[in-house]
């Protein structure tokens, strides 16, 4: 899935550059600080990479859930807000008339979905059994496919490695760096 910056389709903001050029008059909705796609990813890829500190750059910044941010954009209570493709896809499926009122201004790099992880010292035979089961799940069985479809609309699983976690490690390091840089007592 991906993180997003969204606005109302009728807003004056047509590009990300429009948002940054008008930041002092722009109300930003951002995700909960514990949200990967609503906070961590945009803080790093959208704001830090563009040397923008949202708290000082924007007219106002309010933290809210993905759902609350969508509602705030639709009600024009905020000008732009962070969100993610999982939430907007659900909205398209359940309320396409509302989804059509949104415009995406920015899309993050792909965010790794929740991986299965195990201890390094786990018995190799157990690892092999788990791997076979998980990678084979929902490949052919219609009942298994239906179960996965109801879980974040998954279509199956694919093999990965610790390399999948590298972007998350980078994001966590950036978050810690921002915390330290913002600490007046350091």
């Amino acid at each position: 899935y991906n993180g997003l910056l969204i606005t109302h389709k009728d807003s004056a903001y047509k590009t990300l550059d429009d948002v940054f050029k008008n930041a002092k008059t722009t109300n930003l909705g951002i995700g909960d600080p514990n949200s990967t796609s609503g906070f961590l990813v945009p803080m790093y890829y959208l704001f830090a990479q563009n040397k923008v500190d949202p708290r000082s750059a924007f007219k106002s910044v309010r933290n809210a859930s993905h759902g609350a941010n969508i509602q705030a954009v639709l009600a024009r209570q905020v000008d732009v807000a962070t969100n993610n493709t999982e939430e907007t896809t659900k909205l398209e499926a359940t309320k396409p008339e509302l989804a059509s009122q949104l415009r995406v201004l920015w899309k993050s790099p792909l965010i790794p979905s929740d991986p299965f992880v195990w201890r390094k010292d786990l018995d190799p035979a157990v690892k092999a059994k788990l791997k076979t089961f998980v990678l084979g799940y929902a490949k052919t069985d219609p009942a298994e496919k239906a179960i996965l479809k109801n879980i974040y609309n998954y279509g199956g699983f694919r093999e990965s490695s610790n390399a999948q976690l590298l972007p998350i490690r980078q994001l966590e390091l950036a978050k810690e760096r921002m915390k330290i840089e913002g600490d007046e007592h350091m």
Side-chain angles (χ1 to χ4, degrees), residues 58-91:
F58 290 93
K59 178 180 176 183
S60 70
V61 178
R62 97 175 197 186
N63 293 87
S65 68
H66 295 297
N69 276 336
I70 285 176
Q71 290 303 316
V73 167
L74 291 170
R76 300 179 194 201
Q77 295 167 339
V78 296
D79 300 300
V80 295
T82 62
N83 220 279
N84 68 44
T85 51
E86 289 179 340
E87 292 296 318
T88 57
T89 299
K90 284 183 206 171
L91 189 64

Side-chain angles (χ1 to χ4, degrees), residues 9-30:
K9 74 169 186 153
D10 295 332
S11 117
Y13 304 101
K14 307 294 183 209
T15 67
L16 188 56
D17 197 42
D18 292 340
V19 174
F20 289 146
K21 283 181 180 175
N22 298 289
K24 285 292 181 198
T25 60
T26 302
N27 297 299
L28 169 68
I30 195 162

Side-chain angles (χ1 to χ4, degrees), residues 11 35 39 41 47 76 83 96 101 108-109 111-112 118 146 148 151 156 159-160 182 184:
S11 117
S35 170
F39 188 85
V41 166
F47 299 120
R76 300 179 194 201
N83 220 279
Q101 299 296 307
S108 77
I111 300 169
W118 51 48
L148 276 188
I151 303 173
E159 191 166 358
S160 185
E184 297 172 4

Side-chain angles (χ1 to χ4, degrees), residues 129-147:
K129 278 184 173 180
L130 285 169
K131 180 178 175 180
T132 299
F133 173 78
V134 170
L135 294 179
Y137 191 81
K139 290 287 187 217
T140 57
D141 184 326
E144 291 175 355
K145 286 182 180 188
I147 290 168

